[in-house]
Amino acid sequence: MKTLTRWARAEWGLLYVTVREPLLRRGWRAVPMTIGAVCLTALLQYAQNQSWGYRFVQDIGAVRAEDPLWQALLRTPLSLFVPALDLPVWGALAQILLVFGIAEICLGRWRTLTLAYAATLAGTLYARLGIRLGPDHLLGLPGSDAYVVDTGPSAAVVGLAVFLGWRYGAYVTAGGVIAAMVVEVAVKENLAGKEHLAAIVVVLVLCGVSALRHRRATTGSGLPPIKS
């Protein structure tokens, strides 16, 4: 038990300390963007399950590879908050509340949204590339995937989880998320799983860029790094 406790502190201690104080001091006011994202996702889920709202939500937030690129790019920001129709919405809401909330406190509101958008956009663009490559290519997709709606919030959640794990030393957690997505694709090879992997690749690239900038700033000035 003590070994497990020590491991948990080493894995999540820095993340816990960073999140705990703002939540104790400000409560839900520490994560206004996250609360808004949860409410927006719930509202879009309700609307798309109504006869009057399905087409409206599809027109403003559903992205498919068959769509013109300009249209997909316009819809992509809102598509972060359009949950899959065939999955329980409570799972998506819980993921957004937990991962977006931690990210908002640790990274800030705009950096969280930027990373979430980058992860989602990576999946959107990969779908187009994969369909162009065709099912016979290692990275390819069948043409029928052009009519499948993109992943919604899940790619953003996965990307943020990996970035937070890397940034705050929770490497086992980040590795576990990556491994889970690889297993998902191996067991059930679908568009969503491959879009998750595309999101992870882009986030890992951003982790590398961030580490390189940090190293240059540290060695260039000869001073300790500034805490952000």
Side-chain angles (χ1 to χ4, degrees):
M1 189 65 181
K2 290 183 178 180
T3 302
L4 182 61
T5 301
R6 284 197 298 269
W7 176 84
R9 286 176 178 172
E11 179 75 4
W12 299 310
L14 181 57
L15 204 56
Y16 174 77
V17 170
T18 305
V19 171
R20 181 176 181 272
E21 184 180 348
L23 281 180
L24 288 177
R25 182 164 33 91
R26 302 181 59 198
W28 294 114
R29 291 177 299 168
V31 287
M33 182 270 293
T34 299
I35 299 301
V38 170
C39 293
L40 178 60
T41 303
L43 178 62
L44 290 172
Q45 171 69 1
Y46 173 78
Q48 71 178 348
N49 278 282
Q50 308 303 314
S51 58
W52 52 264
Y54 173 77
R55 178 49 53 191
F56 174 72
V57 174
Q58 293 293 300
D59 288 343
I60 64 173
V63 177
R64 299 176 177 84
E66 67 165 341
D67 298 331
L69 181 59
W70 66 268
Q71 189 177 75
L73 293 176
L74 285 177
R75 291 177 177 176
T76 297
L78 191 60
S79 75
L80 269 72
F81 310 108
V82 178
L85 277 168
D86 57 341
L87 295 175
V89 69
W90 303 111
L93 296 178
Q95 290 175 3
I96 293 172
L97 182 62
L98 178 64
V99 178
F100 273 66
I102 294 173
E104 184 175 4
I105 292 173
C106 295
L107 307 176
R109 186 179 311 167
W110 294 111
R111 187 176 294 181
T112 297
L113 287 174
T114 300
L115 284 169
Y117 178 74
T120 302
L121 185 61
T124 296
L125 296 180
Y126 161 72
R128 294 171 177 273
L129 175 62
I131 289 168
R132 180 170 296 182
L133 292 174
D136 296 329
H137 194 279
L138 177 63
L139 301 177
L141 295 168
S144 58
D145 279 349
Y147 307 101
V148 178
V149 178
D150 278 359
T151 61
S154 59
V157 167
V158 168
L160 286 171
V162 171
F163 189 88
L164 285 168
W166 167 80
R167 180 74 178 269
Y168 285 86
Y171 301 119
V172 176
T173 303
V177 172
I178 295 172
M181 296 303 103
V182 172
V183 170
E184 177 189 12
V185 171
V187 172
K188 185 179 180 182
E189 189 173 350
N190 56 13
L191 177 61
K194 290 192 172 182
E195 287 186 338
H196 292 160
L197 292 182
I200 288 171
V201 169
V202 167
V203 168
L204 290 177
V205 170
L206 293 175
C207 289
V209 171
S210 179
L212 183 61
R213 291 178 59 188
H214 175 77
R215 184 178 302 173
R216 286 180 176 177
T218 303
T219 57
S221 65
L223 298 172
I226 298 174
K227 293 183 180 180
S228 58

